[in-house]
Amino acid sequence: MKDLWNVLRPEEQIELQLRKLYGQHHFHLYRLNSFEEFDNYQQQRNFLRDSSIITFTGNDGRTMALKPDVTISIVKNTPSGERRKVYYVEDVYRHDRHEGEYQKIQQIGLEIIDEITEKDELEALSLAWQSLALVGEGTLDLSHIKIIDGICDRFPVEERENVLQALNRKSSHEMRDLATMYRLPQQEQEHLEKLVRLSGTFDEKFEKAQHLLALFPKALEGLNELKVLQEAQLKDQSLSDKIRLRLDFSIINDADYYSGLLFQGFIKASKEIILHGGRYDHLLERQGKSQGAIGFGMKLNDAGIKTAPKDSEYLNIALPKGRMGDKVYQLFTQAGIASEGVFEDNRKLIFVDEAKKLRFFLVKPSDVAIYVEHGAADIGVVGKDVLLENAADVIEFLDLHLGKCKIAVAACNNFQEDESRPLRISTKYPRITRKYYNGLGRSIEIIPLHGSIELAPLLDLSDVIVDIVETGTTLKENDLKVIQDICPSSARLIINHATWRFKQQRIQEVIEKVRHQL
């Protein structure tokens, strides 16, 4: 029997251990079809966190879909009022925006569908903890929908998405701008800036969070509910000490579905979130069900990674080549982050500072966010225009105020818009352009270009361009002018989500040294 066990891959061994664990807690295996009707998923698109869906037409003419999510299917097939306590091992299909292809992701997870009690929440949290511990050293981060709602309630409804993004990115500068725009009291502004950055072990950060949330009663209520769960959790002596319980308000799930506790799991050897969970009563309400629900799903694809990379003692920093890069190099040296002379040999792509255990990578500016998001770099410096265009899932911690410019729409001096047809736009920023004009309700045709974009309207290739504008000199020299501003841009210091959980102290030291120079 031992020989058979050794034949299994690490992720297969973990799957069997988890199935045994869930069975011992009286969860029953739930099996799903590989595909269901597309409408079932289409109606719940927000819950899917913008996942694209693979569809096909069945023999009877119905539009079917390969499942992008398991929870929605379980909820759909659970009658109103019925209790279910199930676990699953299923493949789901999600679109990878970087590769432009779909990925098959093996998930294991569990759902409790019932009148949810504190005991149910504790059981879900405990099993999430134990699931992560079987994979390796990690963290379980907690938040609560009431905390998120309590913060969002201080702003107009139409700004909710921007507030959520500021929380998710830990962007205190974005939160400050929003708070200033809507003239929140000074003390509230200061507390919100600090709340955005607050992150750490539950015991260390609870009192500070309690103080900062005192001005936001609903949010404070959510925090106190987390404290009750945390104190009950500590009584469970069987939980592995490989997992740390953290408080972090950057956990953002759709409030139309989630209704209370939120949690995420990270493993030190993986550079992404591997476990998502929370209480989602609203999802059942929207489907006319009378129960509540709590559950989580964990990627098994990453479960085979059980040891941290050998270079984990280094802090890996991706810096941009070119003009902005030169300014950043100078800033890092002046801040005492890098030792003098580290960047002297400009033929290198990797600079190692052995004394301070730092590794610097020189990469194309448009690639910095990709290196950070995928965990090849822990920290990076990149323009806001690149972040917006790539929609990179990173922490945008600091505005360095370098490379200041704006993304704008420009046209010939004699331009007259013809609203009877789609506007033709040349740009290297198609995502930003589409989002901007979708907000205006304007029909457009995008013509992708990557160089000498100013030529496009001069040669009648397009009506206008969307590009970075710094001084406007190039536009003036070519008889062009800015007709609309889209948004400002400058260099931002970004951090990988998983790295932040495991190297927070070292990263915080870098941030404070940089902040002191600004």
Side-chain angles (χ1 to χ4, degrees):
M1 197 69 177
K2 184 177 180 180
D3 290 339
L4 288 175
W5 178 259
N6 292 333
V7 167
L8 297 175
R9 298 191 303 273
E11 60 268 27
E12 292 173 327
Q13 294 178 1
I14 290 169
E15 178 192 331
L16 291 177
Q17 290 173 297
L18 289 173
R19 291 177 67 161
K20 179 180 178 182
L21 173 66
Y22 302 159
Q24 289 171 341
H25 283 258
H26 309 293
F27 285 80
H28 303 286
L29 179 63
Y30 190 96
R31 296 192 181 278
L32 293 88
N33 294 324
S34 295
F35 46 84
E36 291 190 14
E37 288 191 54
F38 173 66
D39 283 350
N40 183 41
Y41 298 116
Q42 181 69 10
Q43 293 167 8
Q44 318 296 341
R45 289 192 69 86
N46 288 342
F47 188 81
L48 296 174
R49 297 185 289 274
D50 300 323
S51 296
S52 299
I53 302 173
I54 302 173
T55 61
F56 63 95
T57 302
N59 291 335
D60 58 0
R62 291 182 300 164
T63 301
M64 308 299 289
L66 282 174
K67 60 177 181 288
D69 185 85
V70 177
T71 300
I72 289 174
S73 296
I74 293 176
V75 169
K76 177 195 171 187
N77 292 299
T78 299
S80 181
E82 181 176 301
R83 172 178 171 81
R84 283 211 169 151
K85 193 174 179 183
V86 299
Y87 77 91
Y88 59 84
V89 184
E90 296 285 341
D91 292 333
V92 297
Y93 299 85
R94 301 278 176 87
H95 190 263
D96 186 295
R97 70 178 184 278
H98 294 303
E99 296 181 6
E101 298 290 345
Y102 285 89
Q103 292 183 330
K104 182 176 77 171
I105 301 170
Q106 188 180 15
Q107 280 190 347
I108 189 165
L110 56 84
E111 313 291 348
I112 304 173
I113 300 176
D114 197 5
E115 295 296 327
I116 300 300
T117 65
E118 181 184 312
K119 180 180 177 182
D120 294 321
E121 293 187 336
L122 282 170
E123 183 172 34
L125 267 181
S126 174
L127 289 172
W129 186 305
Q130 294 176 71
S131 299
L132 288 169
L134 280 171
V135 181
E137 182 184 350
T139 73
L140 187 61
D141 290 13
L142 301 187
S143 187
H144 200 288
I145 280 293
K146 287 183 180 178
I147 296 173
I148 294 169
D149 286 344
I151 293 171
C152 288
D153 286 350
R154 298 297 296 123
F155 298 89
V157 174
E158 60 269 21
E159 290 291 349
R160 181 180 178 85
E161 187 59 33
N162 290 327
V163 176
L164 292 178
Q165 287 180 1
L167 284 167
N168 182 242
R169 296 169 180 158
K170 294 191 176 299
S171 298
S172 56
H173 49 280
E174 290 184 4
M175 186 64 78
R176 179 178 61 248
D177 292 344
L178 286 165
T180 302
M181 183 189 305
Y182 291 101
R183 299 179 180 178
L184 267 60
Q186 184 63 34
Q187 190 178 18
E188 285 193 19
Q189 292 187 33
E190 292 172 359
H191 281 212
L192 285 173
E193 283 187 57
K194 293 175 181 177
L195 279 167
V196 169
R197 297 193 296 265
L198 187 141
S199 179
T201 60
F202 199 104
D203 286 333
E204 290 175 351
K205 299 299 180 181
F206 175 75
E207 287 189 7
K208 184 173 183 180
Q210 195 174 39
H211 168 69
L212 294 175
L213 289 174
L215 300 174
F216 312 95
K218 181 192 280 189
L220 184 60
E221 183 182 339
L223 179 68
N224 289 332
E225 288 183 24
L226 292 182
K227 182 62 174 176
V228 171
L229 287 172
Q230 184 253 359
E231 289 177 341
Q233 195 84 37
L234 291 176
K235 296 176 183 176
D236 188 346
Q237 300 298 317
S238 67
L239 295 178
S240 169
D241 59 5
K242 291 197 297 184
I243 305 300
R244 293 180 298 126
L245 197 65
R246 297 176 76 257
L247 195 59
D248 196 302
F249 302 148
S250 66
I251 304 174
I252 304 297
N253 288 327
D254 196 287
D256 287 341
Y257 303 91
Y258 287 93
S259 55
L261 172 68
L262 299 171
F263 53 94
Q264 290 179 344
F266 295 81
I267 292 299
K268 193 170 187 178
S270 179
K271 297 299 184 179
E272 60 180 320
I273 302 167
I274 73 164
L275 185 147
H276 282 278
R279 183 163 177 176
Y280 55 93
D281 295 9
H282 295 329
L283 176 61
L284 282 91
E285 291 172 9
R286 290 172 69 96
Q287 295 195 24
K289 310 292 175 71
S290 60
Q291 314 96 305
I294 188 169
F296 65 83
M298 186 173 82
K299 291 181 181 179
L300 278 175
N301 305 61
D302 298 301
I305 307 173
K306 302 189 74 172
T307 57
K310 292 181 180 178
D311 65 349
S312 60
E313 70 269 24
Y314 286 87
L315 198 60
N316 299 311
I317 304 173
L319 299 179
K321 297 178 181 178
R323 187 171 53 178
M324 182 189 290
D326 292 340
K327 295 178 181 178
V328 175
Y329 309 151
Q330 185 178 3
L331 174 64
F332 273 60
T333 303
Q334 289 176 343
I337 296 167
S339 302
E340 292 287 345
V342 170
F343 298 116
E344 281 184 357
D345 188 350
N346 58 17
R347 293 169 298 176
K348 290 183 178 180
L349 294 178
I350 300 177
F351 301 86
V352 181
D353 187 337
E354 290 290 356
K356 299 186 177 181
K357 293 299 180 185
L358 300 173
R359 295 202 309 174
F360 295 89
F361 312 147
L362 301 185
V363 300
K364 188 177 178 181
S366 59
D367 291 340
V368 170
I370 296 173
Y371 277 86
V372 174
E373 181 175 5
H374 288 272
D378 304 316
I379 299 174
V381 174
V382 65
K384 179 65 174 178
D385 58 310
V386 175
L387 286 178
L388 290 173
E389 185 59 29
N390 290 354
D393 185 14
V394 295
I395 297 171
E396 184 190 323
F397 209 96
L398 197 61
D399 184 350
L400 300 182
H401 304 292
L402 298 174
K404 286 187 176 182
C405 55
K406 63 183 177 181
I407 304 171
V409 184
C412 294
N413 289 329
N414 60 356
F415 170 70
Q416 294 291 325
E417 186 170 351
D418 181 358
E419 296 188 358
S420 67
R421 61 173 177 79
L423 185 68
R424 296 174 299 149
I425 307 172
S426 293
T427 185
K428 62 179 179 181
Y429 300 107
R431 184 190 295 269
I432 295 172
T433 302
R434 285 195 187 94
K435 183 176 181 180
Y436 176 71
Y437 279 100
N438 283 345
L440 298 177
R442 181 70 167 96
S443 177
I444 62 172
E445 174 192 344
I446 290 181
I447 302 169
L449 288 178
H450 298 283
S452 302
I453 292 177
E454 293 83 4
L455 274 175
L458 301 177
L459 300 178
D460 200 31
L461 176 63
S462 64
D463 302 311
V464 301
I465 62 173
V466 170
D467 200 11
I468 285 291
V469 177
E470 196 166 351
T471 63
T473 302
T474 303
L475 294 178
K476 291 177 184 177
E477 290 176 348
N478 288 282
D479 297 322
L480 301 173
K481 63 180 180 180
V482 171
I483 59 172
Q484 291 163 316
D485 291 341
I486 295 180
C487 64
S489 179
S490 57
R492 309 296 165 95
L493 188 146
I494 61 175
I495 307 165
N496 175 270
H497 278 286
T499 295
W500 175 251
R501 271 75 186 175
F502 301 105
K503 297 183 180 180
Q504 181 175 344
Q505 184 174 351
R506 291 197 65 196
I507 292 172
Q508 194 70 54
E509 291 172 1
V510 170
I511 290 169
E512 292 309 316
K513 287 180 179 179
V514 170
R515 199 195 304 273
H516 187 69
Q517 294 294 315
L518 300 181

